[in-house]
Amino acid sequence: MKTLIVGDKPTVERLAERLKQAGSHAEYQRIQCVLIRATLGSSAQQIAQLLGWSTGTVHVIHSRWSKEGDAIFELRGRGGRHHQHLTPEQEQQLLAPFVARAEAGGMLTVAEIQQAYQEQLGNEVAPSTVYRLLDRHGWRKVVPRPRHPKSDVAAQAAFKKPSPHGTPRGRAPG
């Protein structure tokens, strides 16, 4: 077994303290992977079995820790708006006049917002870009209801005039 990880007291104490401060499960497991090797001297296969990892992953973590040190525990978050046209603050400024108009009872169309967005940006954008912008800021599409929520369907059916008996609608089946 190679001695990539030296189990000296300051290293073990530093790793133990870092383990208490771990911000995510992935970070916690990475620290455990190194700490188990430093304290118990376990093999990569034993550590992999404890953590539910493959042996290769344990080898990679140990190798990276010997080269990079504690930097391997700093995990970058996934996702984010890496290709944004405008910052969230700029988007709010763009939507401000439309918000004021909507609060006054005005009707808005996506085409108007898209045109303002394109003028500020200087490029053309797809309508889906504007719909995602509106969704990010809590807007939703409001459409008229097909019927009133308090309407009584039975009362409406009783109100309708029955067809006379001589018409096709008024005949009894059969």
Side-chain angles (χ1 to χ4, degrees):
M1 171 170 23
K2 283 184 175 179
T3 56
L4 290 175
I5 300 171
V6 180
D8 60 342
K9 191 172 181 173
T11 303
V12 171
E13 287 176 357
R14 190 175 77 241
L15 288 170
E17 188 59 37
R18 180 136 196 169
L19 190 65
K20 293 176 188 175
Q21 316 248 325
S24 67
H25 180 68
E27 183 183 355
Y28 190 86
Q29 280 192 317
R30 283 177 175 228
I31 298 166
Q32 273 185 327
C33 181
V34 176
L35 188 59
I36 291 169
R37 179 72 174 260
T39 56
L40 303 176
S42 301
S43 68
Q45 188 175 8
Q46 292 169 332
I47 295 170
Q49 191 174 8
L50 282 171
L51 297 177
W53 289 358
S54 69
T55 308
T57 304
V58 174
H59 283 299
V60 168
I61 294 292
H62 290 169
S63 176
R64 283 189 58 205
W65 192 79
S66 68
K67 292 176 188 172
E68 302 172 30
D70 286 355
I72 67 162
F73 304 133
E74 303 296 328
L75 301 174
R76 288 196 334 257
R78 293 177 140 175
R81 293 181 60 202
H82 300 293
H83 302 289
Q84 64 186 3
H85 293 294
L86 303 172
T87 65
E89 293 79 25
Q90 289 173 324
E91 288 178 353
Q92 269 187 321
Q93 290 174 354
L94 173 77
L95 290 175
F98 297 106
V99 170
R101 200 164 93 199
E103 287 175 348
M107 190 86 146
L108 301 177
T109 61
V110 171
E112 294 172 333
I113 298 171
Q114 182 179 5
Q115 186 174 0
Y117 191 83
Q118 289 173 350
E119 286 173 9
Q120 182 168 352
L121 194 60
N123 291 343
E124 288 192 13
V125 293
S128 62
T129 304
V130 180
Y131 280 109
R132 287 194 320 267
L133 162 86
L134 294 173
D135 184 50
R136 272 194 302 274
H137 291 274
W139 288 47
R140 59 188 175 81
K141 184 176 181 180
V142 179
V143 294
R145 295 183 298 250
R147 62 184 179 80
H148 196 277
K150 294 182 181 177
S151 64
D152 186 5
V153 178
Q156 289 176 354
F159 182 75
K160 292 181 181 176
K161 294 180 184 177
S163 299
H165 285 288
T167 63
R169 288 186 186 182
R171 277 193 210 139

